[in-house]
Amino acid sequence: MIATMHVPFVDLRAQHAPISGDLDRAIRDVVARGDFILGAAVERFEAEYAAFIGTRHAIGVGTGLSALELALRAFGVGAGDEVITAANTFIATVLAITAVGARPVLVDMDPATYTIDPDALAAAINSRTRAIIPVHLYGQPVDLDAVLAVARRHGLVVIEDAAQAHGARYKERRAGSFGHAAAFSFYPSKNLGAFGDGGMITTDDDLAAGKLRLLHNYGQRAKYHHAIAGTNSRLDTLQAAVLRVKLPHLDGWNAARRRHADAYTARLAHRVQTPTSLAGIEHVYHLYVIETAQRDAVQQRLRERQIDTLIHYPVPAHLQEVSAPLGYKAGDFPATEAAAARILSLPMYAELTEAQIDYVVDALADAPR
Ligand SMILES: Cc1ncc(COP(=O)(O)O)c(C=O)c1O
């Protein structure tokens, strides 16, 4: 009998311990300055994040959902428009589309990569289609050459959902630098996570950036002078200060995630379906997702061994209760639906130890197949 060991799904305390002095100083500095709303750390972090992603602009916002919604609004997407995205995404992608008054049109994924199927995308385009939101799901950039070619052919706006792909690369450039704009989430467990909610929009478009600066701050051009019907969605100064401390570590953390993913894959590929990472793509493994026919039994066995796992996502977007008005039904997206019944996300974070990986691999070797 092997001794049990708890393997959490993510371990933020392990991430924060080695940088706790820097984090404490950054927070104390904001408290001392008192510039809690749109303070100095926000401006600095926006400049640093834009440089990191490789875009002219980065605009901090309150959440990843808000980043998607405001990016659509900045490019004039709204009522009467259709926006295409993948059925296998977190619901925020779909809710952002409905929030601007547009209609979400969902399509199936490529079963090899879990990202939008470019042929299905092309087939869903009609005269009402205004935009597409490719989702770099699990940390793997979509087939951007194919998606951008379709978008160019039809004159569509492309908003990348990069909420799970901070730092990922597609042919040398970072995800988030390809579309008209991209949306990031700094939800605490993301590859780059805040101490609460936060989000960012990156773009090269000067006009859109100007509009986003109005949109996220009450449409305010000068204090108490409101040009457009904006909203309140600002990245907190405290969160920006935390994120400034973390950003220089991100590439190292992502490299560690890739090493852990390679270790899992080398030892699990003969038992379960392991993730595929395409040539020319730098996957950042926000999630390490396996597939197995006995998913529920495997998850139960791992739970008994104190290994935490999750399913991303058990119910595809088109079959969610909230999507009923869109009129989709079971069977519409076979690849997405087949995966939803088989996928399982294993513990994945930079600080995962070799002993923990061994323990997870051993537990899977014992699991039903
Ligand atoms: C793919 C995807 N899109 C959008 C979001 C929304 O981000 P947030 O939770 O910060 O609103 C998330 C994360 O939660 C996500 O995983």
Side-chain angles (χ1 to χ4, degrees):
M1 183 70 196
I2 333 163
T4 52
M5 162 196 310
H6 177 220
V7 187
F9 191 71
V10 292
D11 187 349
L12 294 177
R13 281 180 304 182
Q15 182 191 73
H16 297 152
I19 55 171
S20 66
D22 291 344
L23 290 167
D24 289 350
R25 259 189 302 284
I27 290 168
R28 273 204 309 270
D29 191 45
V30 174
V31 175
R33 296 170 64 95
D35 57 347
F36 297 107
I37 302 295
L38 297 181
V42 175
E43 201 175 322
R44 289 195 192 124
F45 180 60
E46 286 175 339
E48 288 157 2
Y49 202 70
F52 176 79
I53 296 299
T55 52
R56 287 170 53 77
H57 307 278
I59 299 97
V61 294
T63 65
L65 169 61
S66 178
L68 286 166
E69 181 184 337
L70 295 183
L72 289 168
R73 283 181 70 183
F75 284 92
V77 180
D81 294 332
E82 290 187 2
V83 180
I84 304 174
T85 194
N88 65 318
T89 186
F90 179 61
I91 200 67
T93 322
V94 180
L95 295 182
I97 299 168
T98 47
V100 301
R103 180 182 180 80
V105 173
L106 303 176
V107 300
D108 214 347
M109 64 172 203
D110 170 354
T113 58
Y114 303 100
T115 52
I116 197 163
D117 175 347
D119 294 332
L121 163 66
I125 292 171
N126 63 44
S127 59
R128 290 178 300 279
T129 310
R130 268 300 304 285
I132 42 190
I133 307 185
V135 184
H136 305 309
L137 200 74
Y138 305 156
Q140 165 140 271
V142 305
D143 182 350
L144 281 157
D145 283 344
V147 167
L148 294 174
V150 172
R152 243 178 265 121
R153 213 160 43 242
H154 297 273
L156 303 177
V157 171
V158 178
I159 309 292
E160 295 170 71
D161 184 338
Q164 302 189 0
H166 318 71
R169 284 192 176 89
Y170 181 87
K171 299 186 176 172
E172 308 302 324
R173 273 169 60 196
R174 305 269 191 190
S177 68
F178 289 87
H180 292 80
F184 290 86
S185 163
F186 300 125
Y187 183 84
S189 60
K190 296 295 197 237
N191 290 37
L192 182 63
F195 284 0
D197 279 312
M200 187 73 90
I201 302 156
T202 51
T203 183
D204 279 328
D205 188 306
D206 297 346
L207 268 179
K211 189 154 182 212
L212 285 162
R213 295 232 167 263
L214 294 180
L215 276 173
H216 87 129
N217 189 26
Y218 292 118
Q220 187 167 268
R221 192 156 271 142
K223 194 142 180 96
Y224 302 136
H225 289 77
H226 304 275
I228 59 172
T231 187
N232 177 2
S233 179
R234 302 173 294 218
L235 180 63
D236 278 347
T237 309
L238 276 169
Q239 303 303 349
V242 165
L243 291 162
R244 287 194 71 211
V245 171
K246 289 190 174 193
L247 181 59
H249 298 280
L250 179 59
D251 277 335
W253 289 336
N254 284 341
R257 285 173 180 269
R258 272 193 297 279
R259 283 197 302 277
H260 302 329
D262 289 347
Y264 271 143
T265 297
R267 298 176 58 192
L268 294 174
H270 66 288
R271 283 193 59 87
V272 295
Q273 187 180 316
T274 51
T276 312
S277 166
L278 299 183
I281 280 181
E282 212 169 83
H283 196 322
V284 292
Y285 291 100
H286 172 57
L287 297 168
Y288 183 88
V289 178
I290 60 166
E291 282 192 38
T292 164
Q294 300 287 333
R295 190 266 315 279
D296 293 346
V298 169
Q299 185 175 38
Q300 177 57 27
R301 179 63 55 87
L302 296 184
R303 193 178 295 130
E304 285 158 15
R305 297 279 175 90
Q306 295 190 46
I307 297 166
D308 298 341
T309 60
L310 289 170
I311 298 165
H312 298 89
Y313 297 91
V315 181
H318 67 292
L319 300 178
Q320 294 283 351
E321 205 178 326
V322 67
S323 302
L326 300 177
Y328 293 109
K329 59 183 187 316
D332 282 345
F333 305 119
T336 293
E337 291 168 33
R342 293 168 46 92
I343 47 179
L344 186 67
S345 308
L346 300 184
M348 173 53 77
Y349 49 92
E351 299 74 19
L352 207 55
T353 64
E354 230 172 275
Q356 287 174 314
I357 293 173
D358 287 347
Y359 182 72
V360 174
V361 168
D362 288 347
L364 275 165
D366 261 4
R369 54 191 307 173

